[in-house]
Amino acid sequence: MVSFSNKLGAECARALAEALRGNTVLTAVRLRRNGLGDAGAVHVAEALLPRWSPLAQLGTGGACGRWLFNPRLRELHLGGATIGPGGAKALARALTPQRNIDFFADVKIESQWAFNTALRILDLRDNQIGADGMEAIAAMLEPVPVEVDFGTQS
């Protein structure tokens, strides 16, 4: 997905997020210089969160369903998208590698695997994410090596 300098804003980001939600094939999303702002970054982040989609509830208290997330997303380019600390924190929460067992503490899960382990490039240059945003992104980086470009921050 590529869109440069289109001044999309938060409402368009919401529509794009709906398209991203549950997408399993995109390997790169490039939304540089689109004026997403914090609200738009939150929409994108929410679309990238893993979600359990129940197909049916079992009478024994278990659940039958599937996880919706993109296991192939390697690049997320959001440079110059007017993202501040709030948007950076939302992205960090969504992109932090997580395990499926972390979501279901009370349900026995036969196979364990992780979400968000493919991401290798996160472009946040030319945004105003500040120290709080950089700290959140740095914490996200601990489990998996990701190349982050903050560019020059003021």
Side-chain angles (χ1 to χ4, degrees):
M1 173 184 291
V2 178
S3 176
F4 292 106
S5 302
N6 287 320
K7 297 182 170 74
L8 298 176
E11 287 308 308
C12 285
R14 181 190 312 250
L16 281 173
E18 286 304 315
L20 287 173
R21 196 175 308 278
N23 181 292
T24 61
V25 296
L26 281 177
T27 59
V29 175
R30 293 178 176 92
L31 296 172
R32 286 189 47 77
R33 294 185 299 273
N34 276 304
L36 299 178
D38 277 350
V42 167
H43 291 309
V44 170
E46 288 173 352
L48 297 174
L49 279 169
R51 290 181 340 280
W52 177 255
S53 176
L55 299 175
Q57 293 297 326
L58 302 178
T60 59
C64 179
R66 67 184 181 120
W67 286 99
L68 300 176
F69 72 103
N70 186 332
R72 294 177 182 90
L73 185 65
R74 296 186 56 81
E75 301 177 22
L76 182 57
H77 299 270
L78 299 171
T82 64
I83 298 171
K89 288 178 186 177
L91 289 165
R93 278 190 301 276
L95 295 171
T96 298
Q98 303 172 49
R99 300 171 305 153
N100 62 336
I101 60 171
D102 296 335
F103 288 88
F104 290 111
D106 57 340
V107 176
K108 183 180 180 194
I109 296 191
E110 299 298 324
S111 63
Q112 298 178 19
W113 37 271
F115 303 108
N116 299 330
T117 58
L119 187 71
R120 292 297 178 262
I121 297 173
L122 176 60
D123 176 3
L124 292 172
R125 67 184 133 172
D126 301 325
N127 284 294
Q128 302 299 318
I129 65 172
D132 288 347
M134 282 192 237
E135 186 175 303
I137 297 294
M140 174 202 81
L141 296 175
E142 289 177 14
V144 176
V146 176
E147 176 188 319
V148 178
D149 185 348
F150 288 120
T152 304
Q153 296 289 312
S154 56

